[in-house]
Amino acid sequence: MTTSQQSDDNLQPAAAAEEQQPEGTGTTGQAAALPVAGDAPVTEANEATEPAHETEATTAPTGQVEDTSVEQGTAAASEEPTVETEKPKPIPAAPSPRAIPTPAAVAPTPGAPRPAGKSSSKAAAPVAAPPTFTTPLEEAAKLSRVSEDGHVFVIIDGTEHPVGQYPDATAEEALAYFVRKHDEVVSSLMLLEQRVVAKAPSSDMNKTLDHLAATVAERAMVGDIPALETRIENARAAVTELVALERKANEELRATELAAREAIVTEAEAMAALDPSTVQWKQGSNRMNDLFDAWKNAQKSGVRLGRSTEDNLWKRFRGARTTFDRHRRAYFSQLDASNAEAKGAKEALIARAEELSNSTDWGATAGEYRRLMDQWKASKRASRKDDDALWARFRAAQDVFFEARAAANAAIDEEFGANLVVKDALLVEAKALLPIKDLASAKKSLDSIRERWEAAGKVPRADMQRVESSLRQVEEAVRSAEDEQWRRSNPETKARSNSMLTQLEDAIAGLEEDLAKAKAKGVESKIASAQEALDARRLWLETLQKSSADFQ
């Protein structure tokens, strides 16, 4: 594998449109929230409350408890606010208390792009806002206690845990501040649950859950902490299941990709193993280039198979391509040598054809040209371009000779035209002899026609076969009539025929006596057998008598 190919990035299933949970979930670093069905929307005044009293603080009060909230990823919300010059406005209570929503009640939304880090110099791309969750202060008051000096405690299983201090504010304002930190964790968890339901990529989900669990463990918020911890664990189980599904899908995708790569390598190896003399090199080279393009596309955009697997496959593919290219080069090198040899042999034939092109020995030279043509057909082919040019030269040399011979034959044919008229008249006379009625007269007339035929002389070459064939037909008819006459008059044939007639007549007489005896005895089986044999001999006798009449 080349360095450039080894350095290609693997495209694992991309976490497209996936939003990474920020380490801090404070309102300062969090996008505007999307309302969830059944929740009261948060007003702009409520969203701006925390940044207002955090950014306008000037001095920290004595004995203030440090607040470790979920807003770790933001600079503005990393510490407790100090004494403000202007107190924040209290968050109004929700119209009615409600329980923490379960994942089934949350509608899945598409994953959002990953937000830019706090050190990023570029503006963060717009992301889908997390769902909004608001805990009513009446419910929160049942789970917490606020002291007169602004210290807030959360009650878990009957035990108070210090949360933090919000001095110089009313109890409702202090409680609302730490409730909001609980709601931020719940909103982040709801967003993650939506991503699980939507089966978004799980690459950072466990990290987000770890961060949320650590934030909840600090007890720096007011809310139903045990329920939130249980919900985090349920989400962790769902993420584990999602990770398993992703792993299975990735394995199936990797198996499919491996099969595709194996198919490319196998086909390339099969092409490299072919006998070079049987390969269609143009189509084969195009196909090998297509396989290489398919390999590059798979390397660029396919699933990574592991360095060892990809290296082994690439070595096999590269080896097959190298072997194929070596065979191709060797084949064409041999082809060039063969073409040069064939070209030399055909050049010699052309030289001989050009020597004979001006010959006037028509018969001998025509035979020599036929021999040269046989040698041309038996010789190897040169390259198509060279072979076409060589054939044109060879054909041109022949054309010179055959055109000259054709001109000479045309002059001769013009001279023999009168002879053709005489022979056509003789053919009419010969055909009038058919059919043969008087063999002796027909033979005498045919002998006269032959004598005059030979005296007429040669006819044009184009008509020679026609007239000769027509005369031969008449000659064959006379010869057949002569043979038939001889067959009928042959004494030996007549003797054989008469002998068979005599034998059949004697056999018939014997069978007639047998039939009379069988009838006298009244035996039906013997009567039927004798009658059958007698009928057969009589039929045979009748046939021979007809044949014998032909010899009379």
Side-chain angles (χ1 to χ4, degrees):
M1 184 180 297
T2 61
T3 305
S4 61
Q5 289 168 333
Q6 291 178 346
S7 62
D8 288 342
D9 292 332
N10 292 327
L11 298 181
Q12 298 290 350
E18 176 187 352
E19 177 185 359
Q20 181 179 2
Q21 290 289 335
E23 294 183 359
T25 56
T27 55
T28 306
Q30 184 173 335
L34 288 174
V36 180
D39 290 343
V42 179
T43 62
E44 294 183 0
N46 294 338
E47 293 177 349
T49 300
E50 185 175 357
H53 70 253
E54 288 175 354
T55 55
E56 295 177 3
T58 55
T59 59
T62 305
Q64 180 174 345
V65 179
E66 182 180 0
D67 174 27
T68 57
S69 68
V70 74
E71 301 168 53
Q72 297 176 2
T74 60
S78 61
E79 298 180 356
E80 280 294 307
T82 55
V83 178
E84 306 93 354
T85 57
E86 178 181 354
K87 294 183 179 180
K89 298 179 181 180
I91 298 176
S96 61
R98 57 185 289 279
I100 298 176
T102 60
V106 181
T109 58
R114 186 186 303 275
K118 61 183 179 180
S119 61
S120 175
S121 60
K122 298 181 179 180
V127 298
T132 303
F133 176 78
T134 303
T135 302
L137 293 184
E138 292 84 349
E139 292 293 330
K142 298 176 183 179
L143 303 173
S144 62
R145 181 177 66 84
V146 181
S147 63
E148 294 181 356
D149 58 356
H151 282 89
V152 180
F153 301 87
V154 64
I155 302 173
I156 303 175
D157 297 331
T159 303
E160 292 185 351
H161 296 269
V163 175
Q165 183 184 19
Y166 195 97
D168 299 329
T170 65
E172 289 77 7
E173 291 174 342
L175 181 60
Y177 176 75
F178 291 104
V179 167
R180 186 163 59 249
K181 295 185 178 297
H182 169 269
D183 291 348
E184 291 167 356
V185 174
V186 173
S187 294
S188 297
L189 182 58
M190 289 171 64
L191 178 60
L192 185 140
E193 289 169 342
Q194 289 180 352
R195 293 169 60 202
V196 172
V197 172
K199 290 184 172 52
S202 62
S203 56
D204 65 336
M205 289 185 180
N206 279 317
K207 180 179 178 182
T208 301
L209 286 173
D210 291 341
H211 173 69
L212 294 178
T215 302
V216 173
E218 293 174 357
R219 304 293 190 260
M221 61 187 68
V222 174
D224 191 347
I225 303 299
L228 186 55
E229 291 175 336
T230 300
R231 188 166 168 184
I232 289 175
E233 291 306 315
N234 292 339
R236 194 180 298 277
V239 170
T240 300
E241 182 179 354
L242 179 61
V243 169
L245 291 176
E246 288 181 351
R247 184 178 296 110
K248 180 180 179 182
N250 287 338
E251 290 174 354
E252 293 175 352
L253 189 60
R254 189 174 291 107
T256 302
E257 180 67 19
L258 177 60
R261 298 280 189 93
E262 283 281 1
I264 294 174
V265 174
T266 301
E267 184 175 353
E269 289 175 337
M271 293 176 64
L274 292 174
D275 183 355
S277 63
T278 64
V279 177
Q280 297 291 332
W281 288 105
K282 182 177 181 180
Q283 293 86 341
S285 298
N286 291 337
R287 182 55 185 162
M288 185 62 76
N289 290 335
D290 292 341
L291 292 177
F292 185 53
D293 291 339
W295 178 275
K296 291 191 293 185
N297 291 335
Q299 187 74 9
K300 180 179 180 181
S301 58
V303 178
R304 300 296 285 185
L305 304 176
R307 186 180 184 88
S308 175
T309 301
E310 289 192 347
D311 284 350
N312 289 335
L313 288 173
W314 168 248
K315 288 178 181 178
R316 289 173 56 194
F317 183 62
R318 181 181 58 191
R321 288 182 67 228
T322 301
T323 301
F324 182 83
D325 186 63
R326 183 172 64 251
H327 289 172
R328 182 179 63 83
R329 293 176 183 275
Y331 174 82
F332 282 105
S333 176
Q334 179 63 32
L335 183 62
D336 290 341
S338 178
N339 287 342
E341 180 182 355
K343 185 177 179 180
K346 290 186 175 182
E347 288 279 3
L349 295 177
I350 292 172
R352 178 58 179 160
E354 290 174 344
E355 289 177 3
L356 297 172
S357 61
N358 295 322
S359 173
T360 57
D361 187 359
W362 309 119
T365 306
E368 181 66 13
Y369 270 121
R370 284 192 294 271
R371 188 183 66 81
L372 292 177
M373 177 62 73
D374 292 339
Q375 293 180 4
W376 183 280
K377 293 178 179 178
S379 63
K380 296 180 180 179
R381 288 183 59 86
S383 66
R384 182 170 183 176
K385 180 179 179 181
D386 290 340
D387 213 56
D388 290 345
L390 291 169
W391 169 250
R393 290 172 56 195
F394 182 70
R395 185 62 180 269
Q398 293 184 83
D399 288 345
V400 171
F401 168 79
F402 286 109
E403 287 174 1
R405 189 185 70 167
N409 289 337
I412 295 174
D413 290 344
E414 184 177 358
E415 179 184 351
F416 293 159
N419 299 341
L420 177 62
V421 174
V422 174
K423 287 192 174 183
D424 281 337
L426 291 174
L427 283 175
V428 172
E429 184 179 347
K431 290 179 180 180
L433 299 176
L434 303 178
I436 305 299
K437 296 179 180 180
D438 186 350
L439 179 59
S441 176
K443 290 174 63 178
K444 183 178 180 180
S445 298
L446 183 59
D447 290 340
S448 174
I449 292 172
R450 285 173 176 169
E451 291 175 0
R452 286 176 288 164
W453 186 277
E454 295 298 330
K458 296 181 180 181
V459 298
R461 293 173 60 88
D463 299 292
M464 183 180 299
Q465 184 176 0
R466 177 181 63 81
V467 296
E468 294 291 340
S469 176
S470 297
L471 183 61
R472 278 197 300 271
Q473 290 177 2
V474 177
E475 291 175 342
E476 289 291 336
V478 173
R479 187 178 299 110
S480 297
E482 188 176 8
D483 292 342
E484 179 66 18
Q485 184 180 18
W486 166 251
R487 186 180 65 82
R488 290 181 177 182
S489 62
N490 188 350
E492 184 178 353
T493 304
K494 285 184 177 182
R496 285 199 302 269
S497 176
N498 292 333
S499 175
M500 291 183 65
L501 287 172
T502 302
Q503 292 176 8
L504 278 175
E505 290 172 350
D506 292 342
I508 290 171
L511 289 173
E512 287 175 345
E513 291 178 1
D514 292 340
L515 178 60
K517 291 177 181 180
K519 287 181 178 180
K521 293 179 180 180
V523 181
E524 294 296 332
S525 60
K526 291 185 177 181
I527 293 174
S529 177
Q531 185 66 50
E532 183 179 356
L534 180 60
D535 292 341
R537 296 302 187 281
R538 285 174 176 173
L539 180 61
W540 193 0
L541 177 62
E542 183 181 353
T543 303
L544 284 177
Q545 288 173 344
K546 290 181 179 180
S547 298
S548 178
D550 293 337
F551 295 105
Q552 301 304 323

